[in-house]
Amino acid sequence: MSKPDGTTARAGSCLCKGVKLQITGDPFTFVVCHCQNCQKASGTAFLSNMFFKDKNVLITEGSDLIKRYDDSNTASGRTLGRHFCSNCGSTLFIRPSLEASNNDFVIVQASTVDDSYNWKPRKELHTDSKWDWIDVHVKPKEVKL
Ligand SMILES: [Zn+2]
Ligand SMILES: [Zn+2]
């Protein structure tokens, strides 16, 4: 969906579709995170983290279904709010501060975004805990964000 100012609004959701989001514009960065916490949260090898300005991510349905896990055992030492759907368990997004008003950005999991895009990750983080059978193709020069 194209907005009057020319930006694109994309739909986002969880597996059960109980939670719906509207994500406007492009991420300002996009990274693959191989830390053990992202592995646990994803159920597999990594999370694909898309960073958006907080004002560009709106919860349009199901905010009552969203639960937050305060992840204090992080590599950075900073407590992250990992948000997920309490009905289906899908990981949705991460807020870097538990004070809602302190967040100028939100980290949306790639699996949350429903509509098509051509963004690609520009960086891999925590490759020390990357699983050895994972071959991620990150081509930073091709990414224009
Ligand atoms: Zn759900
Ligand atoms: Zn991580």
Side-chain angles (χ1 to χ4, degrees):
M1 182 176 75
S2 195
K3 292 195 144 186
D5 65 358
T7 55
T8 301
R10 291 179 175 83
S13 65
C14 60
L15 177 60
C16 74
K17 306 282 182 196
V19 177
K20 291 192 177 164
L21 295 93
Q22 187 188 68
I23 301 150
T24 304
D26 299 324
F28 61 87
T29 192
F30 179 6
V31 302
V32 163
C33 187
H34 297 280
C35 83
Q36 289 177 324
N37 299 25
C38 284
Q39 291 168 347
K40 292 284 186 198
S42 71
T44 184
F46 54 84
L47 278 181
S48 301
N49 290 327
M50 297 171 162
F51 289 62
F52 289 88
K53 286 187 180 147
D54 193 66
K55 64 177 169 62
N56 288 354
V57 180
L58 293 177
I59 297 155
T60 53
E61 270 180 53
S63 54
D64 53 316
L65 289 174
I66 298 175
K67 285 207 170 176
R68 186 182 82 195
Y69 172 64
D70 298 346
D71 182 7
S72 58
N73 185 27
T74 60
S76 67
R78 180 183 202 176
T79 300
L80 299 174
R82 293 184 183 268
H83 294 71
F84 59 96
C85 173
S86 60
N87 187 44
C88 67
S90 300
T91 182
L92 293 166
F93 57 85
I94 297 167
R95 287 193 194 280
S97 170
L98 302 182
E99 287 294 324
S101 57
N102 282 351
N103 287 286
D104 27 328
F105 67 92
V106 56
I107 305 162
V108 177
Q109 261 67 81
S111 52
T112 302
V113 184
D114 293 326
D115 292 330
S116 65
Y117 55 81
N118 57 9
W119 314 316
K120 291 187 176 67
R122 63 195 328 191
K123 195 152 92 170
E124 294 180 74
L125 302 180
H126 298 287
T127 50
D128 49 328
S129 47
K130 181 176 173 176
W131 294 351
D132 64 6
W133 53 268
I134 295 299
D135 190 12
V136 178
H137 298 278
V138 176
K139 299 171 184 165
K141 289 191 185 100
E142 294 180 12
V143 181
K144 293 190 203 96
L145 292 178

